[in-house]
């Protein structure tokens, strides 16, 4: 699976968001407007190893998915150990929470298979986004918690803190990981016993120290990132709330793949029940790591759209719960879940790379994000040369970044947006003549320069199917223009 993912990562075109994070990797800092900096450090490491290519940008995605799968399997087996078939030892306690798996298949193997069957990991591991390191560090923290429970060695709390800090450096939603661990400490007898010792407090201090540079960056930049990501809340319009809730549940069923999603939901419900009825500390840990986050995203969906990737961090714990489900009925669903997920993931890979089915944009997310960039960039460069332009510019951060990654060496690419103010990138000198590329979705007349001159239209398409239309304008840089910076180029 890792070899297949590396192949897909190497051959698939980069999405605009991936090129945006690639720009980050050329200007490393401890915080950005959108997210903490971990994705930028991962891309920098990958491009140092594999060059400034799609594989270099995405390299750590498939590798972290492989290591994370091993850690998830070890975590599940530590939380729910089983004895060899036919034995009656302390590792196979009777009762409704005993996995009862067939010979040779441990809870850990099933957990890893189920998580790998989801599009969350199958597709998420071949694109580079903040969720990629977030998913890995959440899995690693879960593994460290499982080792802590199995061994009773308090030094594992330091590892938990380090991995939680890595998750916080990846995405702000990692605060749900800390919340889940804190709830487990407070609400279980085993956790409360740990609170009387120094190790969990030291682990929390490690996480806070790792996250401190992000706090310092926000303090120096008017708390811009915290304010941007923290301003979401529920609303009071019932019709909109129902629509967003339906999108959230339907989107998760698609991203997790339907059968895996059902198994995860039932598994988490049974984990909560086992915690309440039998005070099972392992089940409590899984419930604490999933239920609060699920409730938060459901609440957010009452007022605003919850993007499908946001709940991704909940799936490692949910996959263990699904793997530890009791009863033969649920066991029979697991192989089907893995096969369905594998087939759906393969279909997405094939459509993204080859597009054998000519689907319109509204039905094909791979077209909107990945389709036609190479030919489109060549058309932009031809238009630039024809106009004798000194630069190419774009207002959309993703479009500007995609052009910066793909245009020929030596072509200056400008990005126009207030978000670039905190990067410290150089501003262009005034008086340069250039070509502004603008999606038709933004309207007809760009408000950024006085009297822009229309210079034609371009279409980004794949196999004749339109992905997006753009308008071209001749513009001139001015000292009083909005925030404009010169983006880095490959090799800079």
């Amino acid at each position: 699976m890792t070899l297949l993912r590396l192949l897909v990562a190497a051959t698939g075109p980069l999405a605009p968001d991936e090129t945006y994070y690639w720009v980050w990797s050329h200007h490393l800092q401890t915080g950005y407007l959108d997210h903490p900096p971990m994705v930028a450090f991962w891309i920098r490491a990958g491009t140092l190893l594999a060059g400034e290519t799609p594989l270099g940008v995405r390299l750590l995605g498939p590798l972290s998915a492989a290591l994370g799968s091993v850690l998830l399997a070890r975590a599940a087996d530590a939380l729910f150990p089983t004895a060899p078939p036919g034995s009656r030892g302390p590792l196979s306690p009777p009762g409704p929470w005993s996995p009862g798996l067939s010979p040779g298949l441990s809870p850990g193997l099933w957990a890893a298979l189920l998580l790998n069957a989801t599009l969350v990991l199958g597709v998420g591991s071949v694109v580079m986004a903040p969720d990629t390191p977030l998913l890995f560090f959440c899995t690693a923290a879960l593994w460290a918690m499982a080792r802590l429970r199995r061994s009773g060695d308090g030094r594992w709390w330091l590892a938990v803190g380090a991995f939680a800090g890595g998750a916080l450096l990846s995405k702000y939603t990692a605060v749900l990981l800390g919340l889940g661990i804190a709830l487990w400490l407070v609400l279980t007898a085993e956790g409360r016993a740990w609170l009387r010792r120094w190790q969990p407090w030291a682990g929390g201090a490690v996480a806070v120290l790792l996250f401190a540079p992000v706090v310092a960056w926000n303090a120096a930049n008017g708390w811009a990132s915290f304010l941007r990501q923290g301003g979401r809340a529920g609303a009071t319009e019932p019709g909109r709330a129902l629509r967003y809730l339906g999108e959230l549940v339907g989107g998760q069923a698609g991203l997790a793949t339907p059968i895996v999603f059902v198994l995860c939901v039932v598994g988490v419900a049974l984990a909560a029940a086992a915690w309440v009825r039998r005070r099972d500390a392992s089940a409590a840990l899984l419930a604490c790591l999933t239920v609060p986050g699920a409730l938060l995203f459901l609440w957010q969906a009452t007022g605003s759209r919850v993007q499908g990737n946001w709940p991704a961090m909940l799936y490692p714990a949910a996959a263990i719960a699904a793997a530890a489900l009791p009863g033969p009925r649920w066991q029979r669903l697991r192989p089907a879940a893995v096969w369905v997920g594998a087939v759906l993931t393969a279909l997405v890979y094939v459509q993204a790379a080859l597009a054998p089915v000519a689907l319109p944009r509204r039905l094909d997310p791979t077209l909107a994000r990945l389709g036609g960039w190479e030919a489109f960039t060549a058309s932009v460069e031809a238009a630039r040369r024809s106009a004798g332009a000194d630069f190419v510019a774009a207002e959309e951060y993703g479009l500007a970044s995609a052009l910066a990654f793909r245009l020929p060496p030596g072509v200056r690419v400008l990005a126009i947006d207030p978000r670039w103010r905190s990067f410290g990138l150089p501003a262009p000198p005034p008086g340069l003549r250039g070509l502004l590329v603008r999606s038709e979705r933004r309207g007809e007349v760009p408000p950024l320069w006085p009297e822009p001159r229309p210079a034609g239209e371009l279409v980004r398409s794949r196999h004749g199917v339109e992905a997006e239309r753009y308008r071209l304008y001749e513009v001139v840089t001015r000292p009083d223009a909005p925030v404009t910076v010169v983006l880095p180029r490959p090799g800079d």
Side-chain angles (χ1 to χ4, degrees):
M1 293 173 68
T2 301
L3 292 175
L4 174 62
R5 288 168 178 165
L6 287 169
L7 176 63
V8 173
T11 56
L14 293 175
D17 280 353
E18 292 180 283
T19 57
Y20 177 49
Y21 302 133
W22 165 80
V23 171
W24 290 16
S25 74
H26 273 258
H27 193 77
L28 294 176
Q29 51 191 44
T30 57
Y32 300 91
L33 177 64
D34 308 85
H35 299 289
M38 185 62 75
V39 66
F41 287 96
W42 276 37
I43 291 175
R44 172 62 71 87
T47 53
L48 287 175
L49 292 171
E52 295 196 278
T53 63
L55 178 60
V57 171
R58 296 165 168 164
L59 180 64
L60 267 64
L63 299 182
S64 67
L67 178 57
S69 298
V70 175
L71 296 180
L72 185 72
R74 298 296 298 272
D77 287 339
L79 290 173
F80 303 103
T82 55
S87 67
R88 291 177 176 243
L91 295 182
S92 56
W97 198 239
S98 179
L101 298 171
S102 57
L105 289 178
S106 70
L109 285 174
W110 276 119
L113 285 170
L114 290 172
L115 186 61
N116 277 271
T118 66
L119 296 180
V120 170
L121 188 65
V123 174
S125 63
V126 297
V127 297
M128 183 53 69
D131 295 282
T132 309
L134 172 68
L135 193 62
F136 170 76
F137 285 115
C138 286
T139 304
L142 177 56
W143 166 73
M145 285 293 297
R147 295 303 304 164
L148 169 73
R149 288 214 63 243
R150 184 70 181 270
S151 67
D153 187 343
R155 290 174 296 181
W156 280 105
W157 279 112
L158 301 178
V160 172
F163 291 132
L168 285 168
L169 288 171
S170 301
K171 201 170 182 181
Y172 293 124
T173 48
V175 70
L176 294 173
L177 173 65
L179 173 63
I181 294 173
L183 286 174
W184 183 83
L185 283 166
V186 172
L187 299 178
T188 65
E190 181 178 328
R192 289 191 294 272
W194 277 113
L195 288 176
R196 294 190 291 269
R197 301 173 63 178
W198 64 270
Q199 290 96 332
W201 302 99
V206 169
V208 169
L209 287 173
L210 288 173
F211 188 60
V214 179
V215 178
W217 182 91
N218 271 273
N221 289 272
W223 307 103
S225 189
F226 287 170
L227 292 173
R228 178 181 177 84
Q229 297 299 335
R232 306 179 187 276
T236 57
E237 298 181 32
R240 179 176 296 181
L242 289 175
R243 182 172 78 250
Y244 288 155
L245 285 168
E247 289 179 1
L248 173 60
V249 175
Q252 293 311 299
L255 286 173
T257 69
I259 305 178
V260 175
F261 180 70
V262 170
L263 289 174
C264 286
V265 170
V266 176
V268 169
L270 289 175
W275 172 21
V276 172
R277 294 174 184 173
R278 300 191 293 109
R279 305 302 181 194
D280 187 309
S282 292
L285 178 62
L286 299 183
C288 288
L289 292 176
T290 52
V291 174
L295 293 176
L296 174 63
F297 291 126
L298 287 170
W299 173 73
Q300 282 188 314
T302 63
S304 61
R305 180 170 284 109
V306 175
Q307 299 299 323
N309 59 301
W310 292 357
M313 61 172 296
L314 308 180
Y315 280 101
I320 294 180
L325 283 171
R329 178 179 59 178
W330 300 111
Q331 291 179 24
R332 285 194 294 268
L333 283 178
R334 283 191 290 255
V338 173
W339 280 109
V340 169
V343 170
L344 291 176
T345 302
L347 290 175
V348 173
Y349 286 171
V350 171
Q351 183 68 12
L354 304 175
V357 181
L359 296 173
R361 175 189 169 112
R362 69 179 184 278
L363 299 177
D364 187 358
T366 69
L367 173 63
R369 291 170 55 80
L370 306 176
W373 282 106
E374 295 302 327
F376 171 72
T377 304
S379 298
V380 170
E381 171 60 9
R384 183 195 69 83
R385 292 197 305 267
S386 177
D390 298 316
F391 64 85
V392 173
E395 301 158 79
E396 295 177 74
Y397 66 88
L399 175 59
S401 302
L403 293 172
F405 187 84
R406 292 183 172 91
L407 281 170
V411 177
R412 185 186 281 118
V413 178
L414 305 189
I416 310 155
D417 192 289
R419 73 175 57 238
W420 299 105
R421 183 179 288 112
S422 63
F423 277 73
L425 293 169
L432 295 179
R433 296 178 59 252
L435 201 63
L436 174 68
V437 184
R438 197 169 200 264
S439 170
E440 289 191 354
R441 292 182 291 106
R442 300 181 67 92
E444 295 186 2
V445 180
L448 300 174
W449 274 286
E451 300 180 2
R453 296 177 52 190
E457 298 182 358
L458 291 176
V459 176
R460 179 168 59 87
S461 62
R462 183 175 65 188
H463 303 331
V465 181
E466 180 180 311
E468 194 156 0
R469 287 184 170 270
Y470 302 85
R471 296 179 186 271
L472 306 179
Y473 298 87
E474 293 182 6
V475 293
V476 179
T477 56
R478 297 166 54 98
D480 58 343
V483 177
T484 305
V485 299
V486 180
L487 293 184
R489 302 299 317 283
D492 289 354

